[in-house]
Amino acid sequence: MSLSLKDPICAIATPPGKGAIGVVRLSGEGALEVASRVWRGKDPRRLPGGRFTLGEVVDPETGEALDQALLLVFRAPRSYTGEDACEFQTHGSPAVLRRVLEALVKAGARLARPGEFTLRAYLNGKLDLAQAEAVLALVEAEGDLARRQALRSLEGSFSRKIAALEDRLLSLLAHIQALLDYPEEGVEAHRAEAVLREVLGEIEGLLAQARSSRLAQKGARLALIGAPNAGKSSLLNALLGYERALVSPIPGTTRDYLEAPLELFGIPLLAVDTAGIRETSDPLERAGVERALRIAEEADLVLYVADRAAPRPPLPPLPARALKVATKADLPPLWEDPGFLPVSSLTGEGLAALKEAIREALLGREGGEYLLSERQIEALHRARERLLEAQDLPEDLMGLALEEALQALASLRGRRQVSEEVVARVFQNFCVGK
């Protein structure tokens, strides 16, 4: 992917399929000239930025009217890409959008590559690399947590935090250089230890959000396990807020697993109700038990469910990420255990506390402030490793390690020299039109 592209590009910016409105984007040097060749109405070249006009999109070769549309003009540098740009808001028929796109190509534009509009925004200084990644994360957000975290990065909060860390390390480098160049001036030594400790703490705090970033982007699998008739299906229904699983007083009726999507605290979850775990001679039920144990091993979080209004079953081995839930809290208990969260699926008692415990088990006490990509996590790890090396060096030898840590941090924002390979990696998963 060339990093010096200026020619006019076009793409459909709305999802495939039929809709009331479709949007075709055009941007680049000469974009308004191209637009004027396909537009019947007020000349786009004479319109001020930020102005809508009503007209028709036409075939530039035959003059055939393709659709009645709105045209929105943007003037450089006040556009998404920083270039002259416009949007054609047409009817959302696939046939209309296809013909409009063909007309723009005939008029001198070329088809945009995936992510090329946002790439140009980056190259023209409208976004840094971290903000560009946030654009993709925001487009792909499936839960509200991912949406909030991506928007925070798009607004520049993550970039400002990284810039502040870079400034501290640059100041430390300048201090070390002064110490080496002017030893007779009495420059204060032993400043590095405190700065490195503080910057490392900030980086480790960001890396602690890696798990929450993955969960916010990809969701989590929540497995409900326990003995037959422990109340798993009822608890699943209570978490969902509607009847998804059949509830029966007959033990062993759930012989396979049942999945249902839900969202808690903005996290997309896939809840899995499993067969009751017990010794059985029934081969079908035994297969269900084995599958339930496998699902528990693979889940991001396990809810072990036990009926406190019945004799207490033996506690099976549980994975590290497990919460213990005592159901039927509305009935007199036959046993109590402070390690279990009491919940009534019938009355809702304890349900809010259980949801909060699920959130904390998945995200930690603070949750995640930023949505970190795998590339960003790798760069933060590189910076951390270099700073740990610097801690073990005397101040007059730590300059190279600090430089490498700074380069890793700078790659997050892309404000210093970043290889074309890194930039291509950032934009490779974007959709055409963004």
Side-chain angles (χ1 to χ4, degrees), residues 316-371:
L318 296 175
R321 291 192 176 274
L323 295 173
K324 293 178 283 188
V325 183
T327 58
K328 305 181 185 177
D330 54 299
L331 299 177
L334 291 184
W335 56 271
E336 291 187 271
D337 187 326
F340 281 71
L341 291 165
V343 173
S344 170
S345 301
L346 181 64
T347 67
E349 177 188 345
L351 201 59
L354 174 60
K355 290 178 179 179
E356 177 58 32
I358 292 172
R359 187 202 67 78
E360 187 173 318
L362 290 173
L363 300 180
R365 289 187 179 275
E366 301 301 325
E369 187 178 2
Y370 302 112
L371 195 66

Side-chain angles (χ1 to χ4, degrees), residues 103-383:
L104 288 171
V105 172
K106 289 179 184 179
R110 66 167 175 81
L111 297 177
R113 298 171 180 150
E116 191 168 355
F117 288 92
T118 304
L119 171 63
R120 291 186 177 201
Y122 163 67
L123 294 175
N124 293 325
K126 305 295 287 186
L127 301 170
D128 66 25
L129 214 51
Q131 290 173 303
E133 287 177 286
V135 170
L136 178 61
L138 195 54
V139 169
E140 295 184 339
E142 294 187 7
D144 200 52
L145 177 63
R147 178 197 63 79
R148 293 196 307 269
Q149 291 176 331
L151 183 60
R152 196 174 290 125
S153 290
L154 180 58
E155 292 171 340
S157 176
F158 177 72
S159 297
R160 289 190 293 273
K161 190 177 188 71
I162 296 303
L165 297 180
E166 289 182 64
D167 285 344
R168 299 183 74 177
L169 292 181
L170 281 169
S171 295
L172 178 58
L173 265 177
H175 163 82
I176 291 172
Q177 194 61 46
L179 189 67
L180 295 175
D181 292 347
Y182 307 104
E184 70 282 356
E185 298 297 326
V187 177
E188 181 184 356
H190 309 301
R191 178 186 174 192
E193 182 180 349
V195 173
L196 291 176
R197 184 173 60 250
E198 290 167 5
V199 173
L200 271 168
E202 295 281 354
I203 290 174
E204 286 167 354
L206 289 171
L207 285 170
Q209 299 180 37
R211 175 179 167 79
S212 72
S213 293
R214 293 189 185 101
L215 293 178
Q217 289 171 308
K218 300 177 182 177
R221 197 170 172 88
L222 178 70
L224 285 74
I225 67 169
N229 270 22
K232 299 184 296 297
S233 297
S234 295
L235 181 58
L236 173 64
N237 290 339
L239 287 170
L240 293 173
Y242 63 89
E243 295 283 328
R244 174 66 179 89
L246 293 175
V247 178
S248 170
I250 303 171
T253 51
T254 302
R255 298 192 174 193
D256 203 350
Y257 66 94
L258 183 149
E259 297 180 338
L262 74 151
E263 186 173 309
L264 291 180
F265 298 97
I267 313 165
L269 299 176
L270 186 66
V272 188
D273 181 20
T274 63
I277 298 173
R278 67 172 177 178
E279 295 292 332
T280 177
S281 59
D282 184 327
L284 187 59
E285 187 179 354
R286 187 165 61 248
V289 171
E290 291 170 357
R291 179 171 287 178
L293 294 173
R294 280 201 308 274
I295 290 171
E297 289 176 3
E298 297 168 359
D300 296 287
L301 182 64
V302 170
L303 298 186
Y304 172 70
V305 181
D307 179 359
R308 72 175 200 164
R312 182 171 181 171
L315 187 69
L318 296 175
R321 291 192 176 274
L323 295 173
K324 293 178 283 188
V325 183
T327 58
K328 305 181 185 177
D330 54 299
L331 299 177
L334 291 184
W335 56 271
E336 291 187 271
D337 187 326
F340 281 71
L341 291 165
V343 173
S344 170
S345 301
L346 181 64
T347 67
E349 177 188 345
L351 201 59
L354 174 60
K355 290 178 179 179
E356 177 58 32
I358 292 172
R359 187 202 67 78
E360 187 173 318
L362 290 173
L363 300 180
R365 289 187 179 275
E366 301 301 325
E369 187 178 2
Y370 302 112
L371 195 66
L372 303 179
S373 68
E374 291 299 325
R375 186 192 76 87
Q376 291 168 340
I377 292 168
E378 289 172 11
L380 288 168
H381 273 298
R382 290 200 308 274

